[in-house]
């Protein structure tokens, strides 16, 4: 099949936007007689006027040969080998054209006797295009011939703002259900519509997500919520009934927590805009909060035993779906535990505002205000208190205690 070929200028693409390292790799591969293109997200994002996150290269050169051409390279991956070419400021992933329908990199084809019939099989550029997930992700750009090759309807769909599966959506979701989350992610990030033909296949398969490897789900959840489009991701995940699959709310009425999540994601997206760091622990503390708040009674009166029980079950249940790294767990628990301290006004309050974990707990407390109007007075008090100097803090505490004695 001959792809449609367009010139880059027409689509606002030009070499200037491309990393020099990536350009140099392509040139070297081409000079060695190979085909080499930029592919995937970087082309999609550049044409949309967004800054590409990284530059993926694809070639008909096989990993060992790539390794031979670039001294600064390293082969990674067991079954589907790919090459990382390392520079001072970036790593450029260089992959060989692949056939096969599953791009999830770990997949193999097994025959009736359970034997591997196909493994690490390289393919043609055409096969490589058709094994990709969405039309907008299957564009190839040669920065030296200035041509974009389109085997599907990628450029048209980019223009029409459509996320369209390559091939039959149901089959492609069956092959790799994670593609559901990828569809949602790109729709949210680019503000595109998911092709209507894919709506039912997605809705019918959301439960399959529960059986995906927890490490992969964790990575996808981070990309959905920590890339600057958390609010859109939430809206889309909710519309497709995926929130309750990824975060099993059980008996909890998630609608009661809608405004809480909306505020949390609004803040998250703002932090990205302002180049502030984001902690995955904070994200998961938010996502699991409806269950913890609802089941622990933390909001009324703290019963430590009950609280710890609820925390343990909630985290355990969540871990069965996605693998939250251990190092975030104590941070998450601290955020929740520290919510109690906003109800206490004593000498320890001063130390609390100076502790390492105060900021996260305080930000979380503010978000709770979105659905707990009764917190308003305390929120205002703590906001003034934390910004005050030692003497003023003491004065505020004295006043507060006097006021509490009166009531
Ligand atoms: P970004 O890097 O901005 O998240 P991307 O499109 O580059 O977006 P990657 O995960 O880096 O996404 O994958 C690179 C390319 O590999 C994709 O553009 C797509 O063509 C292909 N690909 C990745 N994952 C899959 C998948 N699960 N199924 C099919 N193709 C995939
Ligand atoms: Mg990429």
């Amino acid at each position: 099949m001959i792809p449609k070929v367009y010139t880059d200028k027409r689509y606002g693409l030009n070499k200037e936007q491309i990393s020099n390292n990536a350009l140099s790799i392509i040139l070297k591969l081409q000079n060695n007689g190979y085909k080499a293109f930029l592919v995937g997200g970087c082309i999609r994002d550049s044409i949309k006027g967004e800054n590409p996150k990284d530059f993926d290269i694809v070639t008909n050169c096989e990993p060992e040969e790539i390794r031979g051409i670039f001294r600064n390279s390293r082969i990674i991956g067991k079954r589907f080998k790919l090459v990382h070419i390392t520079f001072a400021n970036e790593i450029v992933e260089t992959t060989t054209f692949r056939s096969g329908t599953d791009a999830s990199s770990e997949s193999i084809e097994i025959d009736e006797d359970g034997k591997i019939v196909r493994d690490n099989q390289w393919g043609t550029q055409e096969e490589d295009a058709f094994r990709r997930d969405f039309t907008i992700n299957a564009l190839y750009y040669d920065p030296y011939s200035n041509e974009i090759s389109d085997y599907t309807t990628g450029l048209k769909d980019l223009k029409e703002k459509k996320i369209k599966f390559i091939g039959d959506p149901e089959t492609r979701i069956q092959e790799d259900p994670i593609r559901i989350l990828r569809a949602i992610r790109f729709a949210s990030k680019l503000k595109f519509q998911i092709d209507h033909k894919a709506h039912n296949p997605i809705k019918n398969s959301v439960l399959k997500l529960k059986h995906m490897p927890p490490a992969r789900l964790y990575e996808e959840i981070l990309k959905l919520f920590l890339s600057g489009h958390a609010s859109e991701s939430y809206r889309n995940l909710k519309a497709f009934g995926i929130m309750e699959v990824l975060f099993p709310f059980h008996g909890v009425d998630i609608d009661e927590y809608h405004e809480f999540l909306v505020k949390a994601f609004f803040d998250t997206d703002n932090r990205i805009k302002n180049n502030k760091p984001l902690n995955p622990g904070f994200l998961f503390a938010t996502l699991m909060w409806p269950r913890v708040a609802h089941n622990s009674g933390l909001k009324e009166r703290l019963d430590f035993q009950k609280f710890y029980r609820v925390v343990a079950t909630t985290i355990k249940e969540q871990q069965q779906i996605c693998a939250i790294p251990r190092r975030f767990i104590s941070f998450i628990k601290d955020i929740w535990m520290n919510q109690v301290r906003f109800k206490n006004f004593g000498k320890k309050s001063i130390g609390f505002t100076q502790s390492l974990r105060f900021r996260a707990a305080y930000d979380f407390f503010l978000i709770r205000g979105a659905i707990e109007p009764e917190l308003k007075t305390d929120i205002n008090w703590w906001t003034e208190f934390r910004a005050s100097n030692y003497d003023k803090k003491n004065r505020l505490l004295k006043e507060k205690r006097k006021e509490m004695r009166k009531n």
Side-chain angles (χ1 to χ4, degrees):
M1 178 191 180
I2 300 165
K4 283 170 254 121
V5 175
Y6 303 86
T7 61
D8 54 0
K9 299 269 165 343
R10 195 170 144 203
Y11 287 92
L13 249 186
N14 66 57
K15 274 205 266 300
E16 308 319 48
Q17 297 162 297
I18 315 280
S19 117
N20 284 331
N21 298 326
L23 289 176
S24 74
I25 296 172
I26 293 178
L27 189 63
K28 209 159 176 184
L29 285 167
Q30 292 186 355
N31 285 342
N32 277 276
Y34 296 105
K35 288 187 181 184
F37 303 91
L38 285 153
V39 70
C42 61
I43 301 310
R44 176 196 69 219
D45 294 349
S46 303
I47 294 178
K48 279 327 285 178
E50 301 220 356
N51 257 346
K53 214 173 67 219
D54 47 33
F55 295 89
D56 297 322
I57 292 176
V58 70
T59 174
N60 58 350
C61 183
E62 296 190 6
E64 275 79 16
E65 304 167 65
I66 305 178
R67 176 75 194 84
I69 297 175
F70 300 93
R71 281 218 314 223
N72 51 331
S73 68
R74 180 162 82 83
I75 296 179
I76 63 158
K78 278 198 209 91
R79 266 188 209 106
F80 279 112
K81 296 199 171 84
L82 50 94
V83 183
H84 274 175
I85 305 184
T86 315
F87 298 87
N89 54 346
E90 69 180 322
I91 293 176
V92 181
E93 206 166 278
T94 306
T95 9
T96 308
F97 289 144
R98 244 160 53 191
S99 66
T101 39
D102 193 327
S104 61
S105 85
E106 296 294 39
S107 91
I108 42 168
E109 211 173 279
I110 293 175
D111 72 9
E112 285 158 358
D113 307 326
K115 216 170 67 222
I116 297 171
V117 289
R118 202 169 64 182
D119 193 358
N120 217 3
Q121 178 174 334
W122 310 120
T124 61
Q125 184 178 356
E126 181 181 341
E127 287 171 318
D128 187 82
F130 285 96
R131 61 105 187 157
R132 291 177 186 274
D133 45 8
F134 309 113
T135 58
I136 57 166
N137 281 349
L139 293 167
Y140 297 77
Y141 176 46
D142 177 341
Y144 294 100
S145 69
N146 308 311
E147 283 172 347
I148 306 167
S149 308
D150 189 357
Y151 286 86
T152 62
T153 51
L155 284 166
K156 175 170 170 277
D157 295 331
L158 261 185
K159 202 158 118 207
E160 291 174 5
K161 302 180 174 239
K162 229 190 241 167
I163 308 289
K164 204 171 181 177
F165 279 93
I166 296 178
D168 170 43
E170 203 173 315
T171 317
R172 301 309 308 277
I173 291 170
Q174 231 47 297
E175 283 167 7
D176 181 10
I178 289 279
R179 288 177 184 149
I180 293 176
L181 298 184
R182 290 179 56 87
I184 302 270
R185 168 152 69 92
F186 298 128
S188 309
K189 170 178 167 172
L190 301 163
K191 300 217 170 59
F192 279 23
Q193 296 294 326
I194 296 175
D195 181 21
H196 271 284
K197 286 203 201 77
H199 283 206
N200 280 332
I202 289 179
K203 285 184 185 146
N204 296 337
S205 297
V206 293
L207 285 176
K208 293 209 172 78
L209 287 170
K210 277 199 192 294
H211 309 294
M212 291 289 102
R216 251 188 117 192
L217 282 175
Y218 175 75
E219 288 304 322
E220 281 302 323
I221 290 171
L222 291 195
K223 287 184 190 164
L224 280 161
F225 289 106
L226 301 185
S227 313
H229 51 77
S231 303
E232 275 297 304
S233 292
Y234 170 58
R235 203 178 60 79
N236 284 318
L237 288 170
K238 200 162 180 282
F240 281 95
I242 301 174
M243 280 305 284
E244 46 271 58
V245 176
L246 296 180
F247 313 103
F249 294 110
H250 298 309
V252 186
D253 180 5
I254 189 200
D255 286 338
E256 276 179 32
Y257 290 86
H258 175 67
E259 292 304 327
F260 167 81
L261 293 173
V262 165
K263 173 148 174 53
F265 299 139
F266 178 81
D267 287 359
T268 311
D269 291 342
N270 261 336
R271 286 183 73 90
I272 297 252
K273 277 195 204 106
N274 299 319
N275 283 321
K276 288 200 195 149
L278 288 171
N279 184 315
F282 194 91
L283 172 71
F284 279 95
T286 312
L287 289 165
M288 291 188 275
W289 177 248
R291 280 171 278 169
V292 171
H294 184 265
N295 297 330
S296 71
L298 185 66
K299 278 158 61 179
E300 298 87 42
R301 185 161 192 62
L302 185 66
D303 168 345
F304 276 98
Q305 268 187 349
K306 188 171 171 192
F307 175 75
Y308 274 118
R309 221 172 32 238
V310 170
V311 165
T313 1
T314 307
I315 292 179
K316 199 163 138 213
E317 277 173 7
Q318 190 61 52
Q319 293 284 40
Q320 275 159 12
I321 296 176
C322 68
I324 308 168
R326 284 262 144 244
R327 65 180 182 281
F328 295 127
I329 301 297
S330 78
F331 181 70
I332 295 171
K333 288 182 183 165
D334 270 10
I335 290 177
W336 293 336
M337 274 307 288
N338 279 334
Q339 296 308 304
V340 186
R341 303 184 68 171
F342 292 109
K343 282 199 181 292
N344 299 332
F345 306 91
K347 271 271 176 267
K348 284 191 180 147
S349 302
I350 297 182
F352 177 40
T353 58
Q354 289 156 347
S355 70
L356 224 53
R357 299 265 164 104
F358 172 78
R359 189 58 212 230
Y362 169 75
D363 286 345
F364 198 87
F365 189 54
L366 296 190
I367 298 171
R368 288 176 56 199
I371 52 166
E372 297 174 70
E374 64 279 13
L375 296 183
K376 195 161 185 286
T377 323
D378 288 342
I379 285 177
N380 291 341
W381 188 87
W382 281 93
T383 303
E384 189 184 2
F385 182 68
R386 88 186 171 101
S388 305
N389 63 21
Y390 188 77
D391 289 341
K392 188 167 175 202
K393 274 185 177 144
N394 274 314
R395 205 181 69 231
L396 286 172
L397 275 173
K398 218 188 260 162
E399 283 167 15
K400 185 76 187 175
R401 281 201 297 257
K402 202 154 110 201
E403 179 193 314
M404 285 172 74
R405 271 198 300 276
K406 258 198 267 153
N407 294 335

